[in-house]
């Protein structure tokens, strides 16, 4: 059995030998290079764009301005600013040249005559709607009220009523590889190489924009150097690059510089929760009333993130009286969208801060308060109708509690030396396997090797290995004989991609179903070849066996026999070919859960040092503990960055103050620390392979645990992510 084993990653050889091929590594003769001229002011009316000097630059082939391809969910529905600039980084023109340096240099020759307008930066001020982020439009792009029970009454019946403003700042998803696209014009069709999380999704939206200009668009996902949710949805530059290749009938490449990526890649998080909550003396949370604001920037596609946060706001706790007034506001900033965790980290920061604040105010133990409120019977329908599926929250919390008590003791000891030490714990609920379904095909080739083609588009997670383990187990063959293919719309019927911690469970179960069908087919074919009755045959260890005669035929022999008689006839009743497809989707999202425990020291300069870190998750069946653990480690380090120093900062005029990786800090190997991870397998999903996702969990569990440990270390309440060094002195 491979499922449950720490099988080494099949995908690594390519990368550690330097043979990965990212968009920028793919070369086509005659390629034009595209450079985007971007706004360096936040809000203005464009009076005139003069590109005549840029066109005179030797090597410049053309300049595109005012592109009005429809682009949804924008206050001005185009990929380029035509009449109004809405944020620093807003694309205004695109220069095409025979090399990328010429294209970038020519950008200086584009003259933009504009009239500056006041910028709206603070989302709370945006809510007042006095100054407009977009001329002629209300700043309030979205409003939804969620209500359950009677929160006002429940609040007034509480022993204490508390109020806190909790802020989760904007972050840049910081993949190692910036975004990029190569669009190759091929006589009426396009071949597009993209750094994307979903080749199929990219094809769908490019076709919807350019379908009347091309016969077809084939999208191939190149190797991707990290995405973290930010390479799923369409971007202005994708449209501009494809449009340019159609106009000039040449290959066109665009790859973002780091400073462009920080301005252009959708930012994540950016939520403020002003929450009022009540509790009984025994620590029972009675009600929550939350005014939630999401800082959408200059587009409205990110509104669903405040919906996720709102519907998950009660987390793993029993409180039933709740109201969330959710607002999405336009600001003159880069548009906002999903970043690893997408709405769940924001919710967890709120409900876990609430648990700790109640424990402080009532002088109760924080674990005791969590236990008082924890859901103990599953399935459970939360006040806003989400159905938490399975697990044993209390058992997991008790396991984490043991570690917490030990960390607490160590903190007490170390504090005696005058050091600023704190221990913190978070308990979190994840929501994943966002659907609707995923596809897979399994084929046995003539040489007996197994090819699995999946609709998911992994980009670093190690899914190739996990899915190979599932198929190898089902077919009872070596994992080395299974190859997994993805990310090409020409060879995969339909699929969705990799997001929402879904790939292993959805594509894995689709592959499992397909492999089962292949096995059934192998039995039927073998029955013909062996002149047996199919009922007499059994499948075992990658072979079809006739227990009566003792005859066997391996999968390879069946596949080879299938192909044996070139030019002959097909004398058998069964169709040849050992291949099948499978599709899998859930009728309810899955809800894994976990706990993080941290012991930290804050020195006199405000620097945070992690002394010990422990995480535990329940995601049902863990297919490969090494891969899952790697996800947790990466997520913890990202969560650490977000908790301590990562923050996109604009000044009051909308100038981006963190526009490069000198000013925008992300954790490196130097700041990384050891993490101990354990897992439980009680919260199984109802899939044939009862797994749930792990790709985002750690970004949800880390910030509340870490912030708690820091506040215990410094003795001051913290209500904001990141905590920032200067606040911890
Ligand atoms: N796994 C497992 N057992 C399970 C579930 C998962 O062994 N029960 C393993 C899988 O085999 C896979 C990994 O854990 O290797 C993650 O699987 P899964 O939870 O299904 O998540 P996805 O593959 O769908 O990945 C998406 C998730 C998301 S939403 C973001 S954002 C994110 C993340 O993964 N972005 C990443 N992790 C990332 N890791 C890398 N290296 N790069 C990114 O951009």
């Amino acid at each position: 059995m491979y499922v449950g084993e720490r099988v080494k990653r099949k995908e690594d050889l390519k990368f550690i030998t330097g043979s990965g091929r990212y968009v920028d590594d793919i070369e086509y003769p005659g390629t034009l290079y595209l450079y985007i001229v971007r706004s360096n002011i936040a809000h203005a009316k464009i009076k005139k764009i003069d590109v005549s000097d840029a066109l005179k630059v030797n090597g410049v082939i053309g300049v595109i301005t005012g592109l009005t391809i429809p682009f949804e969910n924008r206050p001005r529905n185009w990929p380029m600013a035509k009449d109004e600039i809405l944020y620093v980084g807003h694309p205004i023109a695109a220069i095409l040249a025979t090399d990328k340096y010429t294209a970038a240099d020519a950008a200086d020759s584009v003259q933009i005559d504009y009239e500056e307008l006041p910028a709206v930066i603070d989302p709370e001020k945006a809510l007042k709607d006095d100054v407009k982020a977009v001329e002629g439009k209300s700043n309030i792009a979205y409003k939804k009220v969620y209500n359950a029970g009677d929160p006002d009454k429940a609040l007034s019946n509480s022993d204490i009523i508390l109020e806190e403003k909790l802020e989760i700042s904007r972050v840049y998803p910081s993949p190692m590889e910036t975004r990029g696209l190569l669009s190759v014009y091929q006589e009426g069709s396009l071949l597009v190489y993209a750094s994307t999380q979903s080749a199929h999704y990219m094809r769908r939206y490019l076709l919807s924009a350019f379908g009347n200009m091309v016969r077809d668009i084939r999208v191939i996902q190149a190797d991707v150097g990290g995405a973290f949710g930010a390479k799923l949805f369409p971007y202005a530059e994708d449209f501009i690059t494809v449009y340019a290749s159609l106009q000039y009938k040449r290959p066109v490449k665009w790859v973002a510089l780091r400073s462009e990526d920080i301005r252009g890649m959708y930012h994540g998080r950016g939520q403020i929760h002003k929450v009022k909550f009540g509790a009984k003396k025994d620590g029972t949370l009675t009600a929550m009333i939350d005014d939630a604001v999401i800082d959408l920037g200059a587009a409205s596609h990110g509104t669903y993130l405040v919906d996720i946060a709102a519907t998950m706001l009660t987390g793993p706790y029993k409180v039933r009286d709740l109201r969330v007034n959710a607002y999405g506001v336009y600001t003159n900033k880069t548009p906002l969208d999903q970043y690893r965790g997408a709405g769940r980290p924001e919710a967890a920061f709120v409900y876990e801060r609430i648990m700790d604040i109640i424990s402080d105010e009532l002088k109760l133990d924080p674990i005791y308060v969590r236990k008082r409120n924890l859901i103990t019977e599953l399935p459970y329908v939360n006040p806003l109708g989400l159905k938490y599926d399975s697990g044993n929250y209390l058992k997991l919390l008790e396991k984490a509690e043991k570690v917490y008590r030990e960390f607490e003791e160590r903190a007490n000891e170390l504090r005696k030396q005058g050091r600023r030490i704190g221990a913190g714990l978070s308990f979190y609920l994840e929501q994943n396997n966002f659907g609707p379904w995923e596809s897979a095909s399994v084929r046995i080739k003539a040489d007996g090797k197994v090819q699995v083609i999946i609709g998911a588009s992994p980009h670093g997670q190690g899914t190739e290995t996990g899915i190979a383990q599932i198929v190898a187990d089902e077919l009872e063959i070596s994992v080395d004989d299974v190859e997994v293919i993805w990310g090409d719309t020409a060879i995969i019927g339909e699929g969705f991609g990799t997001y929402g911690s879904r790939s292993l469970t959805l594509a894995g179960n689709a592959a499992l179903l397909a492999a089962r069908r292949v096995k059934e087919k192998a039995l039927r074919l073998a029955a013909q070849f062996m002149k047996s009755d199919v009922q007499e045959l059994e499948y075992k260890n990658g072979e079809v066996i006739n227990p009566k005669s003792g005859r066997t035929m391996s999968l390879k022999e069946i596949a080879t026999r299938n192909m044996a008689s070139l030019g002959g006839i097909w004398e058998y009743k069964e169709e040849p070919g050992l291949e099948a497809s499978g599709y899998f989707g859930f009728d309810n999202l899955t809800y894994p859960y976990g706990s993080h425990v941290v012991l930290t020291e804050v020195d006199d300069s405000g620097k945070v040092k992690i002394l010990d870190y422990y995480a535990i998750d329940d995601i049902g069946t863990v297919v490969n503990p090494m891969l899952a653990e790697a996800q947790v480690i990466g997520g913890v380090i990202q969560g650490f960055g977000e908790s301590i120093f990562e923050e996109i900062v604009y000044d009051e005029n909308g100038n981006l103050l963190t526009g490069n990786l000198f000013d925008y800090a992300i954790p490196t190997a130097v700041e990384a620390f050891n993490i101990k991870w354990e897992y439980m397998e009680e919260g199984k999903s109802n899939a044939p392979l009862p797994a749930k996702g792990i790709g985002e969990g750690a970004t949800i569990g880390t910030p509340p645990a870490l912030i708690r440990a820091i506040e215990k270390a410094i003795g001051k309440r913290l209500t904001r992510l990141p905590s920032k060094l200067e606040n911890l002195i």
Side-chain angles (χ1 to χ4, degrees), residues 389-392 591-593 618-621 680-685 690-692:
D389 50 357
S390 58
N392 187 338
Y591 291 85
Y593 55 98
D618 186 355
I619 56 166
T621 298
M680 268 174 40
E681 292 186 300
E682 296 204 12
K684 299 208 159 144
S685 69
K692 298 182 189 174

Side-chain angles (χ1 to χ4, degrees), residues 503-676:
S503 307
L504 189 276
T505 310
L506 298 186
N509 274 293
L512 179 73
L513 296 177
R516 275 186 192 162
R517 286 173 192 143
V518 165
K519 239 165 51 176
E520 286 158 15
K521 185 75 189 293
L523 281 162
R524 293 201 301 274
L525 270 171
Q528 296 272 316
F529 297 147
M530 293 158 86
K531 301 200 180 350
S532 306
D533 195 349
V534 73
Q535 273 80 28
E536 293 175 351
L537 303 179
E538 283 170 16
Y539 186 96
K540 214 171 170 195
N541 295 330
E543 288 181 334
V544 175
I545 305 161
N546 185 332
K548 263 202 227 150
S549 68
R551 252 196 94 188
T552 62
M553 259 191 119
S554 68
L555 271 184
K556 182 176 171 183
E557 283 167 328
I558 300 167
T560 310
R561 178 82 172 262
N562 246 338
M563 299 294 293
S565 57
L566 182 118
I569 56 154
W570 183 253
E571 61 184 284
Y572 308 103
K573 298 275 176 294
E574 191 61 35
E575 273 181 36
L578 268 178
E579 62 179 275
S581 295
Y583 295 82
F584 186 79
F586 283 113
D587 61 1
N588 189 49
L589 296 175
T590 58
Y591 291 85
Y593 55 98
S595 177
H596 285 220
V597 190
V598 52
L599 179 68
T600 192
E601 174 161 22
V602 182
D603 75 13
D604 293 341
S605 68
K607 204 167 149 209
V608 174
K609 188 173 173 205
I610 307 299
L611 304 180
D612 221 333
Y613 203 105
Y614 169 86
I616 178 166
D617 285 279
D618 186 355
I619 56 166
T621 298
V622 176
V623 169
N624 183 327
M626 183 189 71
L627 296 174
E629 183 180 48
Q631 287 296 307
V632 173
I633 292 170
V636 168
I637 301 298
Q638 278 185 317
F640 169 82
E642 192 187 340
S643 303
I644 313 294
F645 41 62
E646 279 191 50
E647 181 176 17
I648 285 285
V649 183
Y650 289 88
D651 72 12
E652 73 267 20
N653 297 316
N655 298 308
L656 180 62
L657 303 182
T658 49
N660 56 52
L661 290 183
F662 288 109
D663 297 328
Y664 185 87
I666 53 170
T668 66
V670 175
E671 288 81 26
F673 42 87
N674 286 332
I675 295 150
K676 182 172 184 216

